[in-house]
Amino acid sequence: MATDQTMHGVPPSLSARVVGSFAYLTVRDRLPTILTKVVDTIHRNKNKFFEEYGEVGIQAEKQAISLLSKLRNELQTDKPVLALTDGLPDTDSWNQYLERQQRLQGDQEPVSWFKSPWLYVECYMYRRIHEALLLNPPISDFDVFNEGKTQSFTESSQAVMSLCTYLEGIKNNIDELSKNPLFEHFNKLMQVSLWGNKCDLSISAGQENSQKTSPLDSLYSLLPFILVDDTKRVWSALISAQRPRESGKNNADRVDIVLDNAGFELVTDLVLADFLVSSGLARQIHFHGKSIPWFVSDVTAKDFQWTIRQAMATNHKWVSKCGVQWQRYLKEGMWCYHDHPFWTQPHEFCDMAADAPDLYTTLQGADLVLFKGDLNYRKLTGDRDWEHTVSFETALRGFGPATLCSLRTLKANIQVGLQPGQGDKLTSQDPSWMTSGKYAVIQFHNPKSE
Ligand SMILES: O=P(O)(O)OC[C@@]1(O)O[C@H](CO)[C@@H](O)[C@@H]1O
Ligand SMILES: [Mn+2]
């Protein structure tokens, strides 16, 4: 179990306790802004609730808004974090985690927004938003972030078209491709998926953040902004998987993708996944999404299905062909979708084996696990205040269900695995390099190579 004390050289968790830090600015400014947008969204749908549910819909809308306004006040005035009361299956786990935080902090001060770990309070806010809806049927299953996620897809339609056209072009002669051109396509699609992570509505506090230009055209100009590029190690893990397949082939059998944002980023992940199965680099893809609306733009099951249906329904030949193919992969079991509650809990991933052993076992069945995005990176590294030159393996603190790779654009002040002096040079050139989303890493770890 992770503790917050600096033990065995594990640094403290990032926290809004540090005035002026990115965590502080996020808790002080960005989270209240997101909450205000949530309240506005619910208010804007008042008539819809009335049409659908009558007076009881209006009551629910009022009640949800008052719970969210109370939450915003607690956050802005650094009130103690409260236990959840909605009786969901994970409510106890959340409340036990609150007790764990209180024990770590000691009884001198309550667990609160500006005193406790940033990772915890930020995750807790999204779970409280869910509670505010859950406690108010019949609007319990209203996704307050749905508008932003669907807009991110529709506003990125040009980029989606060019990406699906590129994929169809590859698939045309994919069986004749030799290793090098195959690697070149893999390399490109990994970078497209990497930069797809820029389209994130949490960092933009809900501001529209879609992909306007063709993602393939800008890859070359973005190369200098990739601070760690382990693509070649990912490639060799794919073509020489540790577990030979029944067919005797020795490339990967199963690749898991821990998804991040809906909209354009999800399309980049579906395209990468299609390439992996079409090329035979993998036989199966398991996707892991979120079980509740999360960090504004993260993928839920509804978003996943909606995106594939939207692709099928577009009048663009290659986009709809991709959509039909993706639906078929799901039907035939080559693609599977999961949404374990652990991904929407506050735990650092080094806790997974203890706190979600079933999920850890599931991931152990993969030959490679791709983690998308910044929040996953923060959880992989425990959202701790590590030195930049600490190795990725050290920061993982024993988390290693399978060979893994993080594809992350930097949106939080935490980055490990850099060369000596690399962080200082970046700070002198571009002080906001860790939080602007301009820089990225493709960072690999093979637990078996320890
Ligand atoms: O995981 P993602 O979508 O790449 O980014 C999530 C994020 O936008 O939210 C948090 C800040 O509010 C940070 O982890 C990061 O900036
Ligand atoms: Mn996200």
Side-chain angles (χ1 to χ4, degrees):
M1 177 191 79
T3 74
D4 201 33
Q5 308 315 322
T6 305
M7 55 168 209
H8 331 304
V10 180
S13 305
L14 297 178
S15 160
R17 181 190 289 276
V18 179
V19 176
S21 67
F22 188 70
Y24 175 83
L25 298 173
T26 297
V27 176
R28 189 192 69 182
D29 304 331
R30 197 140 39 87
L31 296 190
T33 303
I34 290 168
L35 269 176
T36 302
K37 284 191 172 15
V38 167
V39 169
D40 292 350
T41 299
I42 293 174
H43 190 62
R44 262 189 296 107
N45 282 272
K46 188 175 178 176
N47 293 339
K48 173 174 172 274
F49 299 144
F50 182 70
E51 279 149 32
E52 269 182 61
Y53 310 111
E55 193 47 41
V56 72
I58 298 295
Q59 280 316 312
E61 184 259 359
K62 245 192 217 87
Q63 261 304 312
I65 285 179
S66 86
L67 289 179
L68 290 162
S69 305
K70 178 176 172 294
L71 171 61
R72 186 175 49 197
N73 176 265
E74 289 168 29
L75 192 168
Q76 289 182 304
T77 56
D78 195 22
K79 289 284 187 311
V81 164
L82 303 174
L84 295 169
T85 60
D86 54 18
L88 257 189
D90 73 347
T91 299
D92 289 346
S93 152
W94 273 93
N95 292 338
Q96 281 152 26
Y97 202 89
L98 172 55
E99 287 157 19
R100 190 190 292 189
Q101 287 301 334
Q102 188 63 68
R103 278 196 305 277
L104 289 174
Q105 225 165 287
D107 49 13
Q108 301 310 312
E109 57 181 12
V111 175
S112 72
W113 297 84
F114 283 83
K115 302 284 184 315
S116 301
W118 173 31
L119 177 65
Y120 171 60
V121 297
E122 187 167 27
C123 290
Y124 171 79
M125 181 188 86
Y126 288 97
R127 182 61 179 77
R128 277 284 297 275
I129 291 172
H130 187 61
E131 180 189 57
L133 274 293
L134 216 67
L135 291 176
N136 287 289
I139 67 171
S140 303
D141 61 355
F142 179 70
D143 180 348
V144 293
F145 303 124
N146 184 58
E147 287 166 13
K149 292 185 277 190
T150 52
Q151 183 191 22
S152 165
F153 176 86
T154 47
E155 303 277 322
S156 306
S157 55
Q158 287 304 320
V160 171
M161 290 176 198
S162 68
L163 195 49
C164 290
T165 304
Y166 175 81
L167 175 65
E168 284 307 314
I170 303 173
K171 286 167 70 173
N172 250 343
N173 65 341
I174 201 156
D175 297 333
E176 290 96 63
L177 284 180
S178 62
K179 276 256 188 303
N180 289 348
L182 198 64
F183 170 75
E184 283 317 314
H185 289 307
F186 171 71
N187 193 33
K188 278 200 183 113
L189 292 178
M190 279 279 280
Q191 289 175 23
V192 166
S193 172
L194 170 73
W195 294 117
N197 181 239
K198 276 180 178 239
C199 304
D200 144 36
L201 295 168
S202 162
I203 191 78
S204 66
Q207 285 299 321
E208 194 267 330
N209 192 359
S210 55
Q211 175 72 24
K212 294 284 190 299
T213 57
S214 160
L216 290 145
D217 296 348
S218 46
L219 293 184
Y220 183 72
S221 62
L222 289 170
L223 281 175
F225 296 95
I226 301 179
L227 304 177
V228 176
D229 186 354
D230 289 337
T231 304
K232 288 194 169 69
R233 298 177 67 191
V234 180
W235 174 257
S236 63
L238 278 172
I239 59 175
S240 55
Q242 250 92 28
R243 304 174 318 157
R245 289 166 52 171
E246 300 95 61
S247 61
K249 280 181 157 185
N250 69 348
N251 59 326
D253 183 57
R254 189 181 120 195
V255 173
D256 284 31
I257 304 179
V258 181
L259 298 169
D260 186 357
N261 300 307
F264 180 69
E265 180 171 4
L266 176 56
V267 175
T268 69
D269 300 332
L270 295 169
V271 166
L272 176 61
D274 192 345
F275 172 77
L276 288 174
V277 290
S278 304
S279 60
L281 284 164
R283 193 176 57 85
Q284 260 204 337
I285 306 288
H286 287 230
F287 296 96
H288 301 269
K290 302 303 194 299
S291 58
I292 63 172
W294 191 252
F295 276 67
V296 189
S297 42
D298 282 25
V299 178
T300 62
K302 213 177 98 197
D303 301 323
F304 191 82
Q305 285 137 19
W306 180 85
T307 303
I308 291 180
R309 276 202 309 274
Q310 282 299 111
M312 291 170 77
T314 50
N315 55 15
H316 185 277
K317 179 178 176 183
W318 301 129
V319 176
S320 58
K321 187 169 181 234
C322 282
V324 169
Q325 179 59 62
W326 297 343
Q327 190 77 313
R328 192 175 304 129
Y329 284 145
L330 285 166
K331 202 157 157 288
E332 289 166 3
M334 290 167 80
W335 284 8
C336 304
Y337 180 87
H338 312 260
D339 54 5
H340 192 286
F342 183 80
W343 303 116
T344 49
Q345 288 173 0
H347 302 72
E348 303 166 48
F349 287 169
C350 61
D351 293 338
M352 187 192 287
D355 288 292
D358 55 333
L359 177 59
Y360 199 85
T361 306
T362 299
L363 295 181
Q364 285 177 310
D367 293 293
L368 171 69
V369 184
L370 300 178
F371 287 92
K372 292 302 305 301
D374 190 76
L375 176 62
N376 278 323
Y377 192 86
R378 291 173 55 198
K379 290 186 168 184
L380 282 165
T381 56
D383 217 34
R384 306 270 170 167
D385 193 12
W386 300 101
E387 292 297 324
H388 298 314
T389 50
V390 155
S391 71
F392 188 36
E393 175 183 1
T394 303
L396 287 167
R397 284 181 290 153
F399 177 69
T403 301
L404 61 91
C405 182
S406 164
L407 288 87
R408 173 236 185 173
T409 56
L410 278 65
K411 299 177 237 170
N413 54 320
I414 172 170
Q415 182 57 53
V416 294
L418 298 187
Q419 296 306 311
Q422 191 176 1
D424 297 338
K425 186 159 169 263
L426 284 158
T427 303
S428 64
Q429 283 168 343
D430 189 347
S432 66
W433 66 278
M434 277 197 277
T435 54
S436 60
K438 266 173 56 182
Y439 296 85
V441 292
I442 297 176
Q443 207 154 30
F444 175 88
H445 172 60
N446 177 354
K448 296 190 178 65
S449 65
E450 265 154 9

